[in-house]
Amino acid sequence: MNARRIVGFLIFVFLIFPFVALFLHANAVRFPLDNETMRVFGSTALQALISACAALSMGILGGLGLLWGTQRLRYFSWFEGLVILPNAAPVLLFLLAVVKLFPWARGLSGIVFVHALLNVGLVAVAFQHLVLQKVSGMAELAYVEGASGWRFFWQGVLPALRADLVLLFIFIFALCFASFAVPLALGGSRATTVEVLIYQKIRISGEWPEAIGLAFMQMLAVLALAWLLRGRGESAVMAFRKVTTPLLQWSPGLLIACFPACLLIFGLVTGIGSGMAQLRALPELVAEIPALLAGSLLVGVMAGLWVMILLLALSYVRPEGWLARFLSGYAAPSSVLVGFAILIAWREPGLATYFKIAMGLALVTLPAFYRYQWSATLTALKGQITVARTLGASDSLIFSRVMFPQVIGAASRIGGLAALWAWGDFALSSVVAEKSVTLAMTAQGLMGSYRLDAATVLIWILIAGGLLTYGAFLTIGLTIGEGVGNVLDSKSET
Amino acid sequence: MNGRTILRLTPLVIAGLAVVTAVFYLARHSKQHPGIAANGPTIQVLSYSGFIAAWGPGPELAKRFENRTGIRIEFRDAGDAGLLMKKLELFPSDVVIGLDEISLEAARAASQWRETPKDLSIDSRWAQPDFVAFDWAPMAFIYREGEIEPPTSLQDLLHERFRGTITLMDPRTSAPGLQFANWVLDELGAEQAGVFLKALKPNVHSVSSGWTAAYGLFTKRQAKLALSYLTSPVYHWTQDNDASYRAAVFKTGHPVHVEYAGVPATCQQCAAAEQFLRFLVEAQTQKLIMNKNVMFPVVPSAIDGSDFQKLPRVELRTNLKMDTREAIFALWQQSDL
């Protein structure tokens, strides 16, 4: 067995560790296969399917807007952090704005609408990078040959990116399939989702064996979808470059991409004054803020580094066959279950807590990030790898000279996204930590004790911290990428 | 090294320094302990986040107990109350705080508990052989004076003046939501409860996954009537200086939410744990818990001179038995709310 396979197997073991730990710890695992559960699976799948279609369509339009912005604004990549904010902040704040501005958003259509809004930024950013990575050269050619934007989009971009868009679809589907608060708030008693059932089994009924069984079935459902939609064709492979043609730019798309973030900011702006007053009344909490800030920073940075290192490891592995299919469809169990799986294996308190939270967040997000952009990044380099192999390069040489300099930028950017998400996490953190150790956990606690406005102030701080961390990761990618490039250039010159 | 590289490295150096500072700060912070009993006995207390948060009663309570007895309290956060028993499985503790009337049976089934002291002078309505009640509150609908005419019974909630104004919680994901569904089932019977919930639908603004979201919608004035606790208005009177918050009084009575603490039979510092239970129900401690948790004390005298005295007196449905979860969940799903 060569080193690549061993690393691939270790990543596989790391990812399935929560299920293994929970299966071994539980006295029994039950798989509820009754009609009601099947009905819930069916309705959840339908909701997630429509939501993913809507998010993908809107996100592609948003992506065209981001492509327009990339051409005109310097440091536009910072703007991406803002666009994906709705996914990083507590969903309650987003719902407050939605319920106020769109009172008609109820039932299935309301759920789909909000899921689409929540995920449109993620899709837009992913689509923008797919275009820059894979079809920008083709776009130039089409422009020179006089193709219209519309025709190039349908006959050039969509077929070329089919496999990547399918993965992006599965990514959004998995997010919506595991959605919890949105279906309940907008769908009412009939909008039972699998995640609601899991929550009910854990917190209200205390039926852990069934909760674990449901989580496993949920994972199988996403795997089955990935298997059904497995891409047969490979995307076009081009070097990363800036789009210089107006074929793939659409300025109104920028509004679509930014609209959800604006909604969130609207939800956050209201109540800042009273939030400050509420905080002033809690001097013991204000004294804790530096420690909470340090905790959030540590969790964010470590989660980002975890994801970045694992993605780089995956670029060394270059997943194929069963591992590629597994990564395309695997969905980690819900945060609470992952948190308990970590506690089953490791109960050390203190500084280890931050490390455990970061590791748990990497466990939950890594498969999602693989689907989100990493698979596309790796397939874009397949041609170069084939050439290198033909010339007799070893796996380590291919990784260090071919892959690393080209993927480090993307790995850092995705690491930055993971860090941004980690700043906003409270679900997994509250299970793993022995007390409130981050701003997000404290904000959630404040919301649960009449102090919604005070929580809003803390969320502003965590958004600022999250964006700065995201920016630091972007800079890491640029600096290392440039540094490695310079070293390689000087070596090739000598 | 050119100017551009230096420019690019500067934020990275700052970020690196920030992370290193954070690690050292947290390492130092986690070692700090303000108490006097660093070498004395320590009891492990498992509770929910709200209790041990900086704004909850936990920290002050630990300080007072340590000053008095020399026994140190180490809190462990279970997240929310629904995860207490699972956390207890992984982290054996001397005291568990935050079980409620809904979770007591499950707690007894999952673990053995020591008998509580018999000589505690607390409200006998909440007495249990193996758990000590430390606060309570009736469930009630909260409204703002001047916005709507308050309801006076469950049936009154069906009146058209409440069209689209009520915010509830889902019983499958929320303990107060479970209380409400059980209340309806108990008061109206299985058949009428289904009819009632169906008829309630036009008046429901939203059904949230938990109290936080439902009450958030209410305080943000998107709903006008929220299921919460009869004591909730006291928070707004005292902290927000807003006297308009009121609890609607139902003639037919209100279900009660009671919070309990218990000592698992597996305790290591059992005597100290029992001492802590006694401390929980002392008049001064009860005042602290009442003010921080915004709940009624179990020692009636603790309420004297407080804003809690201004709350309306309501009839309690203390004999309300929790129906089977399956019956409640089935009722809820059929309600189409």
Side-chain angles (χ1 to χ4, degrees):
Chain A
M1 199 182 252
N2 64 22
R4 262 180 66 209
R5 286 190 178 178
I6 292 171
V7 175
F9 181 72
L10 288 177
I11 293 174
F12 169 76
V13 170
F14 174 73
L15 288 176
I16 61 160
F17 148 75
F19 280 113
V20 175
L22 290 166
F23 281 174
L24 291 177
H25 181 75
N27 294 327
V29 176
R30 279 197 297 277
F31 298 96
L33 298 168
D34 52 285
N35 289 341
E36 180 55 22
T37 310
M38 293 302 121
R39 188 194 67 76
V40 171
F41 263 87
S43 62
T44 311
L46 178 70
Q47 170 269 112
L49 211 65
I50 304 172
S51 297
C53 287
L56 201 63
S57 315
M58 287 169 65
I60 288 174
L61 295 176
L64 293 173
L66 292 183
L67 284 167
W68 178 85
T70 310
Q71 286 302 297
R72 281 158 184 81
L73 300 168
R74 222 176 157 200
Y75 304 116
F76 191 73
S77 47
W78 275 77
F79 196 71
E80 293 170 13
L82 195 71
V83 167
I84 59 154
L85 263 188
N87 282 82
V91 76
L92 170 60
L93 294 167
F94 194 75
L95 279 173
L96 280 172
V98 168
V99 170
K100 188 164 191 168
L101 296 174
F102 308 103
W104 49 265
R106 292 294 159 91
L108 182 62
S109 57
I111 297 168
V112 169
F113 176 65
V114 174
H115 277 158
L117 286 181
L118 276 171
N119 295 306
V120 69
L122 277 173
V123 178
V125 170
F127 182 75
Q128 177 207 8
H129 284 278
L130 281 175
V131 167
L132 291 175
Q133 265 178 345
K134 297 194 167 182
V135 294
S136 52
M138 204 195 294
E140 263 177 355
L141 193 64
Y143 183 62
V144 170
E145 291 185 355
S148 70
W150 183 251
R151 191 168 173 199
F152 175 64
F153 180 74
W154 285 107
Q155 295 183 355
V157 177
L158 290 187
L161 298 180
R162 194 184 65 182
D164 303 310
L165 291 176
V166 163
L167 272 183
L168 203 53
F169 174 81
I170 297 169
F171 164 75
I172 301 295
F173 176 88
L175 287 184
C176 300
F177 198 73
S179 177
F180 168 69
V182 174
L184 269 184
L186 301 175
S189 63
R190 296 232 164 169
T192 310
T193 64
V194 180
E195 201 65 25
V196 171
L197 277 186
I198 294 172
Y199 192 96
Q200 173 195 316
K201 301 288 179 199
I202 291 174
R203 284 182 161 87
I204 301 291
S205 312
E207 293 166 1
W208 281 74
E210 284 203 9
I212 298 167
L214 279 169
F216 192 72
M217 287 163 66
Q218 190 180 27
M219 184 268 284
L220 287 182
V222 183
L223 259 180
L225 179 80
W227 184 80
L228 281 172
L229 296 179
R230 64 194 185 283
R232 295 186 190 281
E234 285 291 329
S235 314
V237 178
M238 294 281 177
F240 186 95
R241 57 203 289 184
K242 295 263 180 183
V243 176
T244 51
T245 76
L247 277 182
L248 286 174
Q249 298 175 25
W250 189 56
S251 54
L254 198 56
L255 291 177
I256 296 175
C258 298
F259 179 65
C262 296
L263 264 185
L264 176 70
I265 289 167
F266 171 79
L268 282 167
V269 166
T270 52
I272 284 192
S274 62
M276 293 299 285
Q278 285 180 352
L279 273 185
R280 274 196 294 274
L282 297 169
E284 53 284 89
L285 172 63
V286 174
E288 284 281 312
I289 287 179
L292 297 170
L293 196 59
S296 296
L297 175 69
L298 207 54
V299 166
V301 169
M302 282 199 290
L305 287 176
W306 260 103
V307 168
M308 198 174 142
I309 291 166
L310 286 167
L311 290 177
L312 288 173
L314 277 174
S315 70
Y316 173 71
V317 172
R318 304 198 301 272
E320 289 165 348
W322 69 270
L323 186 59
R325 280 197 292 278
F326 169 78
L327 287 166
S328 303
Y330 177 74
S334 56
S335 299
V336 174
L337 290 175
V338 171
F340 272 102
I342 290 171
L343 283 182
I344 288 166
W346 190 12
R347 289 170 213 179
E348 180 76 21
L351 278 180
T353 301
Y354 303 95
F355 187 78
K356 285 187 284 183
I357 295 173
M359 186 180 86
L361 292 170
L363 266 169
V364 172
T365 55
L366 184 70
F369 283 128
Y370 177 81
R371 286 188 285 272
Y372 180 55
Q373 278 188 0
W374 203 245
S375 170
T377 305
L378 297 186
T379 52
L381 296 170
K382 267 195 171 171
Q384 294 178 34
I385 293 163
T386 309
V387 173
R389 285 206 76 87
T390 312
L391 293 172
S394 66
D395 285 334
S396 55
L397 198 67
I398 290 175
F399 174 71
S400 60
R401 295 289 177 89
V402 180
M403 307 285 283
F404 187 80
Q406 297 188 76
V407 300
I408 182 67
S412 308
R413 190 164 37 77
I414 298 176
L417 286 184
L420 185 59
W421 274 8
W423 271 83
D425 172 77
F426 61 86
L428 188 135
S429 312
S430 63
V431 174
V432 175
E434 59 273 18
K435 60 176 182 168
S436 267
V437 292
T438 64
L439 285 169
M441 285 173 77
T442 309
Q444 182 66 14
L446 285 168
M447 284 195 259
S449 56
Y450 300 99
R451 297 170 177 92
L452 183 57
D453 291 339
T456 307
V457 177
L458 293 195
I459 289 164
W460 271 110
I461 301 174
L462 76 85
I463 283 177
L467 284 177
L468 284 172
T469 315
Y470 175 73
F473 270 87
L474 284 185
T475 318
I476 288 174
L478 287 172
T479 312
I480 299 178
E482 221 166 66
V484 173
N486 291 340
V487 170
L488 291 180
D489 284 349
S490 61
K491 275 191 179 175
S492 60
E493 278 167 18
T494 53
Chain B
M1 200 180 276
N2 59 25
R4 193 170 166 223
T5 312
I6 293 171
L7 198 69
R8 195 163 269 177
L9 284 177
T10 307
L12 283 185
V13 171
I14 294 171
L17 283 175
V19 172
V20 172
T21 311
V23 172
F24 278 106
Y25 182 77
L26 289 171
R28 206 168 142 255
H29 188 78
S30 62
K31 279 181 191 156
Q32 279 177 355
H33 181 254
I36 54 164
N39 300 317
T42 300
I43 53 172
Q44 306 287 335
V45 177
L46 183 68
S47 189
Y48 56 93
S49 303
F51 192 88
I52 65 176
W55 58 89
E60 176 63 21
L61 210 138
K63 205 155 73 181
R64 289 187 193 179
F65 185 67
E66 187 175 331
N67 285 340
R68 160 110 62 94
T69 63
I71 300 169
R72 200 181 143 206
I73 290 178
E74 206 169 272
F75 281 115
R76 179 167 285 282
D77 192 350
D80 61 57
L83 298 174
L84 273 170
M85 290 314 296
K86 195 66 189 171
K87 274 262 176 129
L88 182 63
E89 209 179 288
L90 296 175
F91 298 98
S93 304
D94 299 304
V95 179
V96 176
I97 293 178
L99 297 160
D100 62 12
E101 65 289 343
I102 295 171
S103 57
L104 281 190
E105 281 313 309
R108 285 184 181 120
S111 181
Q112 290 203 312
W113 301 83
R114 284 170 70 92
E115 274 198 18
T116 52
K118 300 262 185 296
D119 55 343
L120 300 176
S121 51
I122 62 168
D123 195 326
S124 60
R125 286 174 296 182
W126 323 127
Q128 295 283 345
D130 39 9
F131 295 99
V132 173
F134 63 89
D135 64 16
W136 68 280
M139 304 297 301
F141 282 91
I142 309 299
Y143 66 99
R144 280 174 291 265
E145 213 169 30
E147 272 189 7
I148 47 166
E149 188 191 327
T152 54
S153 66
L154 280 180
Q155 287 296 343
D156 194 22
L157 287 173
L158 301 179
H159 195 277
E160 64 178 19
R161 71 180 185 278
F162 300 118
R163 186 71 33 111
T165 60
I166 305 170
T167 171
L168 296 171
M169 300 113 206
D170 196 304
R172 296 165 300 176
T173 54
S174 146
L178 191 62
Q179 282 264 23
F180 175 71
N182 192 49
W183 178 10
V184 172
L185 203 58
D186 183 77
E187 188 167 317
L188 305 174
E191 204 173 306
Q192 281 307 305
V195 176
F196 170 81
L197 290 176
K198 277 196 169 76
L200 188 63
K201 186 178 179 179
N203 291 358
V204 173
H205 169 274
S206 56
V207 178
S208 300
S209 55
W211 179 89
T212 302
Y215 206 74
L217 287 166
F218 170 64
T219 52
K220 288 288 175 188
R221 297 182 183 262
Q222 290 177 31
K224 292 178 179 172
L225 204 56
L227 177 67
S228 186
Y229 304 98
L230 186 96
T231 47
S232 296
V234 175
Y235 175 83
H236 303 285
W237 299 345
T238 57
Q239 304 296 316
D240 296 340
N241 293 321
D242 187 342
S244 67
Y245 284 80
R246 292 279 187 276
V249 177
F250 283 14
K251 295 167 287 193
T252 45
H254 297 243
V256 187
H257 175 68
V258 188
E259 288 195 288
Y260 292 94
V263 177
T266 52
C267 56
Q268 297 294 308
Q269 301 283 345
C270 303
E274 191 173 295
Q275 208 175 337
F276 183 64
L277 287 192
R278 287 179 182 280
F279 176 73
L280 268 184
V281 294
E282 284 180 9
Q284 284 306 313
T285 316
Q286 280 288 293
K287 260 193 202 305
L288 174 76
I289 294 175
M290 171 183 81
N291 289 324
K292 296 274 189 177
N293 270 8
V294 199
M295 298 279 276
F296 281 126
V298 290
V299 176
S301 63
I303 204 173
D304 293 346
S306 73
D307 283 309
F308 287 81
Q309 279 185 310
K310 296 177 193 161
L311 289 166
R313 300 283 166 106
V314 297
E315 198 170 308
L316 304 178
R317 300 177 73 91
T318 48
N319 55 354
L320 191 148
K321 290 274 174 281
M322 181 55 65
D323 222 304
T324 62
R325 305 284 157 92
E326 286 68 27
I328 292 173
F329 297 155
L331 169 77
W332 189 258
Q333 275 174 275
Q334 284 157 18
S335 70
D336 198 21
L337 268 179

